[in-house]
Amino acid sequence: MKIAYFTDTWAPEINGVTNTLGKLSGYLEEKGIRHIFFAPAYNTSAAGTDTLPETEETSLKKVHRFPGIKVRISPNSCLAFPGTKLVYNLCDRFAPDLIHVTTEFGIGNKGVKYAVSRGIPLVMSYHTDYCKYLNYYGLGALEPFVEMYLKRFYRPAQRILAPSGYTMEQLKSKGFDNLGIWSRGIDSACFNADYRSDEMRNSLGIGDRFAFLYVGRISPEKGLNLLLRAIDRINQNFPGQAAFVITGDGPYAETIRQAGHENVIMTGFRRGRELSEIYASCDGFAFPSGTETFGNTCLEAMASGLAVAGISSGGVTDYLTHGENALLGPDEDSDALADNLTTLMTNQELRHILAYNARKTALSRDWNRIFDKLLSEYRIVIQENAPALAS
């Protein structure tokens, strides 16, 4: 089996899609499966559509990177629009058995068109609920047009994979078909409580305070306005007793800084062992987003031994259960979030029970099992569609 992936996001950009694709590529190499990625380059400015890509290569993998443009709404992202002839020639040379498109923009769109033009089985994965995002940017009036575009974009797929049952049901209610689930896993060697470090707590300036952690993109759709209001309440009720570590970056970061909370610690993006230590060295996880299609960082926190205070909406509801492995409140309810964060801080017995169950939940989601199921999905799609497409 040879697989070609088309994605508008790739390392060094940090998000759930890039993390998942990086893990997937490693799995495919271990299985001896040849694969190729078409992805943006992040260290070059936009060039002509026929500009030769930067190419990284191993014996089983190629990554063709195309120069693009920065996006104001997401300054860490890069959109590329490579030339059709160039992409088609590169992909023809590889001769894939299946195309997997993971995003909806320039490179993703090129992948859909290539699959259709060559009659190759097409799998597409849905990662981001753009319609939910619109209201956070004052663009709610565009929702019908965005929904229309997404339906047309995904129509050619022989399989559309959602990251959670919640998201799959949302897509089904909007008229999408050929649906399946490609869930997410956790690397328990990278995320576990053994990384807890007093040195890390001291370097962050946490001291003896109870440390809440948020990890992810710092942007309006992540519900961080709720977290700011919850911080106000906790600081009023428990002055000097809590710290809030926020790891990541994005357009809402300056708003958080301007709020002026001395106990909010902004770390920016962190990777590798440093990120593992930040997770394990905090005491609870604050996850105020109700827009997630899955919520990768929530699972990372759970594997690291943290109890979660989150929102009872979105893909996290596939694996978070209120009172069992998390405390959940309604979306847009900052008082409920503040109450749950307070409970985590003040009720040690309950926090330990939630954290124990949370880690059990995380450990049940092994990446290899998830990728095994994905490969099975690929084989089914190829078997079911290759003869029909070839005729």
Side-chain angles (χ1 to χ4, degrees), residues 20 23 183-187 365-371:
T20 300
K23 290 287 184 187
S183 191
R184 301 294 180 266
I186 193 69
D187 184 345
R365 291 178 168 267
D366 176 71
W367 272 122
N368 284 339
R369 286 200 297 270
I370 286 167
F371 292 144

Side-chain angles (χ1 to χ4, degrees), residues 104 126-135 140 142-155 160 162 165-179 290-293 313-314:
E104 300 88 349
Y126 181 94
H127 300 273
T128 304
D129 191 341
Y130 293 104
C131 291
K132 270 191 178 180
Y133 282 20
L134 291 172
N135 288 324
L142 297 178
E143 183 171 344
F145 303 101
V146 172
E147 288 216 3
M148 190 184 309
Y149 170 77
L150 291 175
K151 274 191 177 181
R152 187 169 63 247
F153 182 77
Y154 281 94
R155 190 175 296 137
I160 302 169
Y166 174 94
T167 303
M168 186 176 75
E169 290 303 316
Q170 292 291 105
L171 292 173
K172 189 181 295 183
S173 71
K174 294 177 180 180
F176 288 76
D177 54 16
N178 297 321
L179 293 166
T291 63
E292 302 303 310
T293 57
S313 178

Side-chain angles (χ1 to χ4, degrees), residues 16-333:
V17 179
T18 61
N19 291 344
T20 300
L21 291 177
K23 290 287 184 187
L24 174 57
S25 182
Y27 167 88
L28 294 174
E29 290 202 83
E30 286 181 5
K31 292 287 184 180
I33 296 173
R34 291 182 62 195
H35 55 290
I36 188 171
F37 285 94
F38 294 88
Y42 290 81
N43 58 352
T44 55
S45 58
T49 57
D50 291 325
T51 302
L52 288 175
E54 304 169 9
T55 300
E56 307 153 19
E57 186 173 2
T58 68
S59 60
L60 294 169
K61 175 183 73 174
K62 281 187 181 180
V63 181
H64 294 304
R65 290 178 173 268
F66 301 88
I69 57 174
K70 295 292 184 181
V71 183
R72 183 177 177 185
I73 199 171
S74 181
N76 295 304
S77 302
C78 182
L79 288 183
F81 301 90
T84 298
K85 184 177 179 181
L86 175 60
V87 170
Y88 282 28
N89 285 342
L90 290 169
C91 215
D92 284 343
R93 206 173 302 159
F94 179 69
D97 300 301
L98 179 135
I99 304 295
H100 186 157
V101 171
T102 70
T103 48
E104 300 88 349
F105 303 109
I107 294 177
N109 189 55
K110 201 71 69 179
V112 173
K113 291 180 176 177
Y114 177 82
V116 171
S117 72
R118 298 298 191 261
I120 298 173
L122 173 63
V123 169
M124 302 174 72
S125 47
Y126 181 94
H127 300 273
T128 304
D129 191 341
Y130 293 104
C131 291
K132 270 191 178 180
Y133 282 20
L134 291 172
N135 288 324
Y136 290 91
Y137 293 92
L139 300 172
L142 297 178
E143 183 171 344
F145 303 101
V146 172
E147 288 216 3
M148 190 184 309
Y149 170 77
L150 291 175
K151 274 191 177 181
R152 187 169 63 247
F153 182 77
Y154 281 94
R155 190 175 296 137
Q158 279 78 49
R159 191 76 83 247
I160 302 169
L161 300 177
S164 62
Y166 174 94
T167 303
M168 186 176 75
E169 290 303 316
Q170 292 291 105
L171 292 173
K172 189 181 295 183
S173 71
K174 294 177 180 180
F176 288 76
D177 54 16
N178 297 321
L179 293 166
I181 293 180
W182 174 25
S183 191
R184 301 294 180 266
I186 193 69
D187 184 345
S188 59
C190 291
F191 299 102
N192 64 71
D194 291 343
Y195 284 102
R196 190 171 178 89
S197 162
D198 289 339
E199 184 179 346
M200 173 59 74
R201 286 178 68 90
N202 290 334
S203 71
L204 292 172
I206 294 170
D208 294 330
R209 294 178 292 184
F210 189 96
F212 292 106
L213 175 66
Y214 167 84
V215 177
R217 179 169 152 77
I218 303 178
S219 52
E221 73 275 5
K222 298 298 185 179
L224 291 166
N225 60 321
L226 301 183
L227 183 57
L228 281 180
R229 294 202 292 270
I231 291 171
D232 284 335
R233 249 191 65 185
I234 290 172
N235 285 349
Q236 289 172 7
N237 295 334
F238 301 93
Q241 296 183 42
F244 294 84
V245 179
I246 298 180
T247 295
D249 203 357
Y252 201 71
E254 189 56 33
T255 300
I256 294 175
R257 292 188 186 96
Q258 289 179 2
H261 295 297
E262 64 82 23
N263 60 335
V264 171
I265 301 160
M266 310 280 287
T267 72
F269 281 120
R270 292 293 183 268
R271 299 173 180 268
R273 184 183 179 91
E274 188 177 16
L275 178 60
S276 300
E277 289 185 357
I278 288 174
Y279 270 116
S281 301
C282 291
D283 304 302
F285 195 65
F287 201 70
S289 174
T291 63
E292 302 303 310
T293 57
F294 183 82
N296 297 56
T297 62
C298 195
L299 203 62
E300 292 168 358
M302 295 163 73
S304 302
L306 301 187
V308 176
I311 303 298
S312 56
S313 178
V316 297
T317 56
D318 266 28
Y319 57 89
L320 292 184
T321 302
H322 178 70
E324 180 179 317
N325 60 6
L327 296 178
L328 304 179
D331 197 7
E332 299 296 336
D333 189 337

